[in-house]
Amino acid sequence: KYLSKLLAAGFKVAICEQVEDPKKAKGLVDRDIVEIMTPGTATVETDDSPEPSYILCPVADGENVALAVADLLSGEFSVETLSAKRLIEKVELLLPKEILVSEEIDGDILDNLKTAAPAARMSYQEPWKFADDFAREALKKHFQVEALDCFGDMTGAELAAAGGLFAYFRDLKKGDMAHIRALSVQRGEDAMHLDAATVRNLELVRSIAEGTSHGTLLWIIDATCTPMGHRVLRNWILSPLIFAEAIEKRQNAVGKLLYDAVLLAKLREHITNMGDLERLVGKLGNEKANPRDLIALKTGLDEIPNLLDILSDMETPFLNDIAGRLDPMDEARGIIGKNIKPEPALRIVEGGVIADGVSPELDELRKIRFGGKQYLNELQERLREELDISKLKIGYNKVFGYYIEVSKGQTDKVPESFERKQTLVGSERYITPELKEYEQKVLSAEERIFELEKELFLTIREHLATFAGKMLEVAHAAAELDAIAALAEIARRKNWVKPEFTEEDIIEITEGRHPVVEEILGATAFVPNDTRLTSDENQILIVTGPNMSGKSTYLRQVALIVLLAQTGSYVPAQKCRLRPVDRIFTRVGAMDNIARGQSTFLVEMIEAANILNNSTTRSLVLLDEIGRGTSTYDGLAIAWALSEFLHENKHHRAKTIFATHYHELTALPEAYPRVKNFQVAVRERGETVQFLHKIVPGGCDDSYGIYVAKLAGVPETVIGRAKQVLSVLESGETLNRETVTRIGRHKGKTIQTEGVQISLFEPENHPIVQQLRDMDPERMTPLDALDAIVRWRKKWIR
């Protein structure tokens, strides 16, 4: 627990151990640093979180940056090249525990890294450890290859980042890392690039309010049985596929598993028994696996034949690929089963780890140690008969060792060859040469058992580590199977439907639902909505309507349904048909970035600029209240121009849903044919407004903001005054204090309430009226009523 606290606080922790046999030492026993752990390189689990623990290493490459990413516990190791902007977004998404950089890193890049990952430890390394020759040799030595071409084409900067990271691991004494046997060169050509703003706004893996996974898309669909499956599902959400063929492979696997609920349940039961196989293999590769870890590893691998048996009847490309990677690892399982006890001690020094029959010497020593009870019983009976002492007994304690105890009334029968060892009130204790010899044999046997078990265990673990690379491939395959089975389980539980992919440029959703909001409200309370976006007719939807009516929920649900579909999942809708989008952009919510000196409006404009510069005709754009961070006319002008750009620019003609309170934008369809107006339906009854949460054609010219303020508990005096100001605005008069004050007069009299003008034409908003509503005349005494009138006269009559 101390290690986890220190690492969480960002410290490097030196692990010191004895490196000399204490029995052979002269004076102090030699100790040395055997490993240095850092927040991003811990080789033991320091908490129960299933989340990955990343360390990143960026290396500048002209205008771009090469980025190496590693997770020592799960064995993930990859490298890719990104633009400087994309690097920051990637860092924000990965939430690394540590970032390793050259001591000569560019100051601007360093500042951006610190801002993107303020909680990460920044570690520095000598520049020469990123040099081409040094980095290349570090990788070749680890992977034991003559050339690195087997991992794909890498740029010089990618090589420097990956090699520099491995040099850092070596400096920290990370052992062989035998489970990391491959380097993945990422090019991102088959996955959607989600920027940090979109991941945050859609709350894919972390909620905005709480900063946890609760209330996120991951929270809804995470029916995985193991932590390793959770990590795969998380990666799928953050990297949706963009090609229909790849998506449909996952989708068909989900459908195949969904077809037989009993078989799916059986499959998930076997996966559950595997535990976190990835991290168990990681501990083995990092030389940290204890005896129980090896048994857990065998238990997990024992489920592989069961999984293969189930998968043999499921002929789909995705599941066939997984089955092809699920090696039962018979030799490794056999080594563990033959050499390690089924229920070993946690620590090697406790003994009871190595199975019987592995070592003849160990078996003989155990007989001496544990078979002594029979010998002592026989010795006790023999001495009782020879000495005629019926109550003579042989005992043991940690202070005096073995002894023969005789009551004081019988001590005259004790031979002179017995050596007195201890005198008690009612008895004497003795030792004999035979008992001394036995004691020495038992004690030396125990010591030798611990010594021998440790030697054997380390040898077995070292041998098993040679299988770690293959075991990790098996673990990755099992993790993917867990993730795909989770998607099938969620589709079964929630009755989601299979989306259809088409070459037609369309996003068509019938009775779509927001998966998270529906879970919280309940399926019967959520109002589903239809969506139709096309490149030739309904390219831009202008959605107007009241606050709190569900515009933002509608925007997000469209994005989440599309994203779910492109992960291979089924979706919460009655029907869904679409062509895969290449990007999803969102401009939702109000947020500043004080660390970068960016105001709320500046952040809004930066995100808008990103959308305008990077969206394509195949993108999905979701805009919520663009322009609200500045003056009304400025904001309206920006919103109007932005809509025109997305409609008119043939390279950025993205399918767009724009929720806005600028009712002036409802005039856009008159000038632009692919813009359509939609509104959130409401029902008015007197002063009561009912939000129906239904998206229907047409524009809305009322936001019902004052009504929402009233629902929120804003004081009646403020509500009344807001209505007066609104009436001035709607009349077209110039808004100033004199105008609004005049509207609030009646027959030359002005009622003043704490600096606010109150009109007699709207007595229902007067504080006296509110107090009258709160009174119960039937329970008031005449004195109470008179007292209220006196208070009112003093306060309101001038």
Side-chain angles (χ1 to χ4, degrees), residues 248-474:
E248 287 169 344
K249 281 184 179 180
R250 284 187 195 168
Q251 194 183 69
N252 292 336
V254 171
K256 194 73 173 177
L257 295 173
L258 182 61
Y259 179 74
D260 190 333
V262 175
L263 203 62
L264 175 60
K266 189 176 179 183
L267 178 71
R268 284 166 52 80
E269 181 182 349
H270 290 305
I271 293 172
T272 300
N273 295 334
M274 301 184 78
D276 197 342
L277 203 58
E278 280 182 344
R279 287 192 172 173
L280 288 170
V281 175
K283 291 172 77 173
L284 176 65
N286 286 312
E287 302 170 15
K288 292 294 187 298
N290 62 43
R292 292 184 188 174
D293 288 332
L294 296 191
I295 293 299
L297 188 60
K298 179 182 180 298
T299 300
L301 293 172
D302 282 343
E303 294 293 347
I304 300 297
N306 297 324
L307 298 180
L308 289 172
D309 184 51
I310 294 173
L311 293 176
S312 63
D313 296 328
M314 297 187 178
E315 291 297 324
T316 71
F318 187 86
L319 296 177
N320 285 344
D321 175 67
I322 287 178
R325 291 182 285 145
L326 287 177
D327 189 322
M329 304 298 299
D330 292 332
E331 186 178 353
R333 288 191 294 136
I335 291 171
I336 298 172
K338 178 183 176 183
N339 292 281
I340 306 297
K341 285 192 171 186
E343 296 183 2
L346 178 63
R347 300 167 64 233
I348 310 170
V349 294
E350 295 173 7
V353 171
I354 304 301
D356 295 334
V358 174
S359 164
E361 181 186 357
L362 182 60
D363 293 343
E364 183 63 31
L365 291 167
R366 282 175 175 165
K367 278 184 182 179
I368 294 172
R369 184 187 176 196
F370 300 111
K373 189 172 183 181
Q374 182 180 350
Y375 168 80
L376 292 172
N377 286 337
E378 291 174 355
L379 177 60
Q380 181 175 274
E381 287 302 315
R382 177 159 55 85
L383 289 174
R384 283 178 178 179
E385 290 179 12
E386 289 178 358
L387 303 176
D388 191 24
I389 303 175
S390 60
K391 292 187 178 181
L392 176 148
K393 64 179 182 179
I394 296 177
Y396 173 85
N397 67 39
K398 291 183 178 180
V399 178
F400 295 103
Y402 288 98
Y403 57 83
I404 299 168
E405 185 171 301
V406 178
S407 64
K408 287 203 171 176
Q410 300 284 313
T411 54
D412 57 330
K413 297 180 180 180
V414 174
E416 291 183 2
S417 59
F418 279 37
E419 178 184 338
R420 183 181 283 108
K421 198 165 190 179
Q422 186 182 14
T423 299
L424 302 178
V425 174
S427 62
E428 297 283 350
R429 289 178 176 176
Y430 303 89
I431 188 74
T432 66
E434 182 181 0
L435 201 55
K436 267 185 178 179
E437 182 182 347
Y438 176 77
E439 179 179 289
Q440 188 59 40
K441 187 184 292 187
V442 168
L443 292 177
S444 62
E446 183 177 83
E447 190 175 321
R448 177 57 182 154
I449 284 171
F450 293 155
E451 191 178 278
L452 188 56
E453 286 216 46
K454 182 177 181 180
E455 291 174 7
L456 290 169
F457 178 80
L458 293 178
T459 301
I460 293 165
R461 189 175 71 181
E462 185 179 350
H463 182 42
L464 283 171
T466 61
F467 299 93
K470 182 63 177 176
M471 284 184 191
L472 194 60
E473 292 179 22
V474 173

Side-chain angles (χ1 to χ4, degrees), residues 68-85:
V69 180
D71 179 354
L72 279 181
L73 269 177
S74 69
E76 184 178 342
F77 186 43
S78 63
V79 67
E80 62 182 315
T81 296
L82 306 163
S83 66
K85 180 177 181 297

